[in-house]
Amino acid sequence: MKNKHREIVLPALRGIMGDWVYYSCLMNLGELSSRVRFAEEIHKSKKLSDMIQRSLRRTRGAQIAEYLKKQPERLFNSLVVATYGGQPNWHALSDVRCGKNAPELEGLHEEIISSVGFLALRGDEQLFALDGQHRLAGIKKAVKDGVDNDPFDEVTVLFVEHQDNSKGLERTRRLFTALNKTTRPVSKGDIIALDEDDVMALCVRHVIDESALFADERIAFVASNNMPVANTKSLTTIGNLYDVYTLLFTGAKSELQARKQDLQRFRPSDEKLDKYFAYARELFVLFENEFAELGEFFSATDTAPVVEKYRGSHGGNALFRPIGLEIFVRIVARLTKDRSLAQSVKLAARLPRTLTDEPFAGLLWDPRRKTILNGNKVTLREVLLYMLGKNDRKYSEAELLERYRRDTGDETAELPKKLI
């Protein structure tokens, strides 16, 4: 078979785990992009191979390409690449015990020394990724688009040997599945607590650490939108606050409006980040000033009586429920299309908020079970916007009335009166 690529020699470590022998090598983006293919080779069936290709989300590859282009602090974990065909050769270093200035190397065992060396690839090997396929897609796109890397970045690649027979295919497929089944995305809680690029996470931490708005127990350190029943002091959760800022920064019309994926992956300049911090604080300062119940909460020394007044089995106030707060922020974001954030919050404050009253009863609040309903967010949002004369055009009055009656289960219900 004619060589497709030139011969290269990669610095490597040789290791053993279970019954796999692997080689941990450094490979630059250009070589990786041109030599490594996706994991289509592990199935003889073209349809099964196509399923693997379809599972590679194009948007994810594009996001990773942007990360490679724009993030100076970029770093990848290792890709796992299977190799078959050709003649990859391992060359162990004969000795790394060198010189008087490295006495700590003198006692190294032979097995350690023999694990350090070089892996030579002749160029006619078939290489395909078993783990890190989205990263590979991003690398290929970045290289194709002309990433400004000179020299190219180096990434770690773990090479394992694949045997092109039935037993080898079974073994490689098992490894592919194990690697991808055990991979878990970073949790939302970890992102909020640790991410240094995600604008929403940075704003959540800033508002908690640098302002009095959510100091102490004013916010629940829960990564989901589910407020613990026993919590009687917090307005909402950090998970809900993250989602609120996502809605604000992606949906509200402002100079800071951006796509969610960009906000999550690319840290703005310090100057622009300060603007996001100010915008994040401004939202709740406006809420405090325009919504009397939130004014009570933010001004209280002891928030427990306020929370018990506005959240409990009696129903209470929509803004003291994570889902209700989310809906009102969505409404405010919609209103910013033709007014400022301050004007939008002021207008939204004209809406009712009591859960036992319309339009919340039957849509957000189940008066019989005395529990929150989660399935009617769109209908509730559009009905509230209808009351302000700002509902989406695709939801006509007749359509809204039909949805309202269907979702409340009341065939005689009428839409609430318009406020404007």
Side-chain angles (χ1 to χ4, degrees):
M1 183 176 182
K2 187 177 179 180
N3 287 6
K4 291 185 178 180
H5 302 283
R6 65 182 178 86
E7 182 176 348
I8 57 171
V9 178
L10 306 172
L13 297 173
R14 180 180 182 273
I16 299 173
M17 188 169 184
D19 59 1
W20 286 98
V21 176
Y22 64 89
Y23 301 88
S24 178
C25 303
L26 291 179
M27 198 172 192
N28 73 48
L29 296 188
E31 294 288 358
L32 209 158
S33 172
S34 65
R35 291 173 184 261
V36 181
R37 298 157 61 181
F38 298 108
E40 59 201 35
E41 303 293 344
I42 64 175
H43 285 293
K44 292 182 178 180
S45 165
K46 186 176 185 305
K47 288 185 177 180
L48 289 173
S49 296
D50 288 345
M51 283 179 64
I52 293 175
Q53 292 301 326
R54 286 196 299 272
S55 74
L56 291 173
R57 291 171 45 202
R58 293 181 181 177
T59 55
R60 180 70 175 131
Q63 290 168 6
I64 291 173
E66 286 296 299
Y67 170 78
L68 288 170
K69 293 175 187 177
K70 295 181 178 180
Q71 176 53 270
E73 296 178 359
R74 58 191 173 272
L75 188 67
F76 277 168
N77 53 351
S78 300
L79 284 77
V80 180
V81 172
T83 174
Y84 72 88
Q87 292 184 334
N89 285 316
W90 166 248
H91 302 281
L93 286 178
S94 59
D95 204 339
V96 296
R97 291 171 292 208
C98 54
K100 303 174 182 178
N101 296 325
E104 65 272 18
L105 299 180
E106 291 181 5
L108 289 178
H109 294 295
E110 290 302 320
E111 65 229 39
I112 295 177
I113 296 172
S114 63
S115 295
V116 181
F118 299 91
L119 186 68
L121 299 178
R122 197 169 67 179
D124 55 353
E125 306 85 6
Q126 301 295 307
L127 308 176
F128 54 92
L130 296 179
D131 186 48
Q133 294 196 93
H134 286 113
R135 277 168 280 154
L136 178 61
I139 289 167
K140 286 180 177 290
K141 177 170 173 53
V143 171
K144 181 181 178 182
D145 292 348
V147 64
D148 186 17
N149 263 209
D150 188 15
F152 277 125
D153 287 346
E154 290 180 313
V155 297
T156 307
V157 180
L158 299 184
F159 286 104
V160 295
E161 183 184 11
H162 165 69
Q163 296 293 331
D164 193 18
N165 53 44
S166 59
K167 286 291 184 184
L169 283 168
E170 179 183 335
R171 175 175 162 84
T172 303
R173 282 197 296 267
R174 184 177 294 113
L175 179 60
F176 174 86
T177 304
L179 290 170
N180 286 277
K181 273 188 0 183
T182 56
T183 299
R184 293 289 183 268
V186 180
S187 72
K188 186 177 181 181
D190 286 343
I191 289 171
I192 294 170
L194 301 170
D195 201 298
E196 287 296 331
D197 297 316
D198 188 303
V199 174
M200 286 74 69
L202 290 166
C203 284
V204 170
R205 297 205 298 268
H206 175 82
V207 168
I208 291 171
D209 293 339
E210 305 297 332
S211 78
L213 286 166
F214 292 106
D216 303 321
E217 296 180 284
R218 293 175 182 271
I219 192 162
F221 283 77
V222 176
S224 73
N225 286 347
N226 297 320
M227 177 66 74
V229 175
N231 185 298
T232 59
K233 292 190 174 182
S234 305
L235 175 66
T236 190
T237 69
I238 58 169
N240 181 236
L241 187 59
Y242 179 95
D243 291 346
V244 160
Y245 285 146
T246 302
L247 294 171
L248 180 68
F249 299 154
T250 61
K253 185 177 179 181
S254 78
E255 63 171 321
L256 300 174
Q257 188 174 14
R259 298 184 307 165
K260 181 179 178 180
Q261 55 265 40
D262 292 336
L263 291 166
Q264 290 175 320
R265 298 185 67 82
F266 305 118
R267 184 187 177 105
S269 66
D270 289 346
E271 181 182 358
K272 191 168 186 179
L273 191 55
D274 284 340
K275 292 182 179 180
Y276 277 109
F277 290 159
Y279 201 42
R281 292 193 304 269
E282 182 186 6
L283 175 69
F284 283 96
V285 170
L286 290 170
F287 271 33
E288 177 183 8
N289 293 336
E290 298 296 340
F291 293 94
E293 60 271 42
L294 291 184
E296 283 184 58
F297 174 83
F298 287 117
S299 63
T301 303
D302 180 6
T303 58
V306 182
V307 172
E308 289 171 2
K309 176 180 176 182
Y310 291 115
R311 184 173 68 235
S313 59
H314 59 286
N317 189 285
L319 294 172
F320 283 73
R321 307 283 181 159
I323 187 174
L325 190 59
E326 174 195 323
I327 289 169
F328 268 82
V329 173
R330 286 185 183 274
I331 289 169
V332 168
R334 177 84 65 85
L335 295 175
T336 61
K337 289 183 178 180
D338 54 12
R339 52 179 52 80
S340 68
L341 181 65
Q343 292 169 333
S344 299
V345 174
K346 190 176 186 68
L347 181 56
R350 297 179 63 177
L351 292 167
R353 276 97 65 191
T354 302
L355 290 176
T356 51
D357 293 343
E358 65 173 22
F360 299 98
L363 289 182
L364 188 61
W365 180 251
D366 185 333
R368 186 171 61 86
R369 293 194 175 102
K370 300 185 183 302
T371 56
I372 287 290
L373 301 169
N374 291 298
N376 306 314
K377 291 195 293 186
V378 173
T379 301
L380 178 57
R381 181 193 71 216
E382 294 302 323
V383 168
L384 289 168
L385 284 164
Y386 162 82
M387 295 172 70
L388 298 175
K390 296 292 181 179
N391 54 294
D392 195 297
R393 289 182 181 179
K394 69 179 179 180
Y395 297 109
S396 65
E397 186 169 338
E399 166 69 8
L400 270 180
L401 178 58
E402 182 183 345
R403 290 181 66 112
Y404 188 50
R405 288 175 172 175
R406 180 193 68 208
D407 291 346
T408 58
D410 183 354
E411 295 183 358
T412 64
E414 297 294 334
L415 288 172
K417 292 181 178 180
K418 287 188 175 183
L419 301 175
I420 295 178

